[in-house]
Amino acid sequence: AIVIFPQCPREDYWANAKVDRSTKPISLTFPKDLPPTKSMKLAMELLEEMLAKNYVNKDQVYVGGLSMGGMGTFEILYRKPDVFAAAFAICGAGNPESTEAYASKVPMWIFHGANDDVVDPQFSVDMVSGILKNGGKPNFTLFGKDNHNSWDSTFAEPKLLPWLFSNIKTKQ
């Protein structure tokens, strides 16, 4: 596998989000139909550069992220719905209306901690609802005892990687 972990600069964000850190959990809103952030634009350019390589299997391209990266996962799926064979988002958030672009195209597994006091777990519930409403059939795991660090439980999930790599994009 080729694994790429882009890092978002401190002054930017993967998703178009209005963030209010004065509340706990943080308050987030996700306006739709805005151009990508600078960091997302650069990540998409890197993705396109990699997809142009002849050694990249374009039927097995996956995306996943945690926290702000989970938000970025939902964002890049909205912007590139035909690229990914599967995706996972951990303690993320997004605009449920945007799921229409990818809900029925990209298998998903969404994870969150029920005690998350940074990113409200309701955001993941809302994304799952949006995916279901738009014809998708996501896996959803809510860890009853986890706080924001639900990535610990997620990456300990023995079925995650086999599930991820079992998804192969079908020809449209």
Side-chain angles (χ1 to χ4, degrees), residues 145-158:
K145 296 181 180 179
D146 284 8
N147 197 319
H148 190 57
N149 67 328
S150 57
W151 52 82
D152 291 337
S153 296
T154 300
F155 291 129
E157 167 55 62

Side-chain angles (χ1 to χ4, degrees), residues 45-71:
E45 288 173 5
L46 176 60
L47 173 64
E48 292 302 322
E49 184 178 318
M50 291 305 299
L51 290 172
K53 309 280 185 201
N54 62 358
Y55 53 80
V56 171
N57 182 343
K58 290 147 195 72
D59 295 329
Q60 289 186 277
V61 177
Y62 310 102
V63 64
L66 58 96
S67 194
M68 190 205 323
M71 297 172 203

Side-chain angles (χ1 to χ4, degrees), residues 51-148:
L51 290 172
K53 309 280 185 201
N54 62 358
Y55 53 80
V56 171
N57 182 343
K58 290 147 195 72
D59 295 329
Q60 289 186 277
V61 177
Y62 310 102
V63 64
L66 58 96
S67 194
M68 190 205 323
M71 297 172 203
T73 297
F74 292 126
E75 183 84 8
I76 200 166
L77 287 170
Y78 165 67
R79 295 185 181 283
K80 298 279 188 182
D82 297 317
V83 170
F84 301 99
F88 65 92
I90 308 165
C91 57
N95 184 328
E97 293 176 20
S98 70
T99 62
E100 183 177 9
Y102 58 86
S104 63
K105 296 179 180 184
V106 183
M108 290 210 62
W109 197 341
I110 298 167
F111 300 88
H112 216 116
N115 296 311
D116 194 331
D117 63 356
V118 177
V119 177
D120 191 325
Q122 187 63 49
F123 283 113
S124 284
V125 171
D126 293 346
M127 294 306 286
V128 168
S129 294
I131 292 166
L132 288 168
K133 177 184 171 189
N134 288 297
K137 308 260 188 275
N139 294 313
F140 180 46
T141 302
L142 183 66
F143 297 108
K145 296 181 180 179
D146 284 8
N147 197 319
H148 190 57

Side-chain angles (χ1 to χ4, degrees), residues 32 151 160:
K32 197 174 162 203
W151 52 82
L160 175 58

